[in-house]
Amino acid sequence: MGLFIASLLRRTVGFALIWWIAAEGSLVAWPLAVIAVAASVAVSLRLLPPGKASAISVIGLAGFLGYFIRQSMLGGFQVARLALQRRPQLHPAILAVPLTLPQGLPRMLLTGTLGLMPGTLGVRLEDEFLHMHVLDRGMPITEEVEQLAAHIARLFGVQR
Amino acid sequence: MKSLELPLALFLLINLAAALIRATRGPTAADRMLAALLFGSTGVGILVLLAFVQRSFALIDVALTLALLAAISGIAFAQRTWGLTGRSRQRRAVEREDDHAFR
Amino acid sequence: MLFVELLSNLLLLTGGFFYLAGTVGLLRFPDVYTRLHTLSKADNLGLGCLLAGLALKADSLVLALKLLAIWPLTLIASAVVGYAIAHRADRLGIPAWQREKP
């Protein structure tokens, strides 16, 4: 019961914050805001019951976001450099790496974020392997995937 | 340096046009699907710049809605290709049908 | 104040540069996979710089937050759509481009 109330409060604050940003701080339509926030909280509690969502750790999230933003900037720089080179130094290949994360959201997040990171793009999730397209075979791809997987495992608090 | 936004918006429009022409030329169907990505990033960029050019910040709401729709429709569109469930054989059968329709 | 203005313009120009790099990559790269790389990485970084630059020019904090809220949404969109397109290209049997051996 304590868990339920805590997550009810957290989500109410979260959705109220989203409303506040979307309405640019204006409180003119506050009755509408109350209805919208209440409905959003009800739907979210229905679709994602408390307990599952509380497994996400705040420290893990901060670590993941920091790593992700740094890496996606590197990815942008790398691709810009390749595009503007006189003769693009592309050495593409499709590689398969073994997956250590559990099925579901963790794997989906891994595949999605890899597409925004330097030189990698998920192509196919199959059984226990992720097939990806890489821009440069010479890059330490496996290490990058491992690092990202470690951040995601910490985010969800799962064992690998 | 006051009005950097308008030239930049025009510049993005030229980028979008060039990229769209490239994407529609193919050669494969997958190339043409790149157009869906272009509106998500370049289209939203043009909208937020125009919001500042005209000082009409309702355009930011338009950009936010476009980005939200791009994310939601992208997820809906991609859902059947994600390896979420263990039923990969069934998924492959669905995809074979799709491929047939897609060609 | 001048410093903020300068930083904002610098971010806007950087954003424009990444959009340009994305378009050049799209025009020059040899196959659909490599083109996907440019679109999902360069263009998103361009938009991120653009939004950050404009957020510095916003009249209020809440407007700046609203601008920045757009970025994660487009990131989600291009991550999932990028994967879906690459997956479909793979299903269609499109091979990854390779440099010919001399």
Side-chain angles (χ1 to χ4, degrees), chain B residues 5-103:
Chain B
E5 289 90 342
L6 187 60
L8 207 54
L10 288 173
F11 174 71
L12 288 197
L13 197 62
I14 295 167
N15 271 282
L16 183 61
L20 273 181
I21 290 168
R22 177 71 196 81
T24 48
R25 274 176 146 194
T28 65
D31 283 283
R32 287 189 282 278
M33 289 163 79
L34 294 177
L37 274 174
L38 282 164
F39 281 104
S41 51
T42 318
V44 168
I46 293 172
L47 279 172
V48 287
L49 282 169
L50 286 182
F52 276 77
V53 172
Q54 306 183 337
R55 310 295 296 171
S56 62
F57 295 112
L59 278 179
I60 294 179
D61 290 306
V62 178
L64 190 65
T65 311
L66 186 63
L68 190 63
L69 282 177
I72 293 173
S73 60
I75 291 169
F77 169 68
Q79 206 151 41
R80 57 196 309 173
T81 53
W82 285 106
L84 277 184
T85 58
R87 297 171 303 169
S88 46
R89 189 171 304 162
Q90 189 186 335
R91 204 176 72 235
R92 273 178 223 137
V94 167
E95 279 178 338
R96 258 196 296 279
E97 277 170 36
D98 277 7
D99 288 349
H100 198 68
F102 199 65
R103 281 180 207 272

Side-chain angles (χ1 to χ4, degrees), chain A residues 139-150:
Chain A
M139 276 176 44
I141 303 295
T142 326
E143 285 81 352
E144 195 186 307
V145 177
E146 263 310 300
Q147 267 182 10
L148 180 61

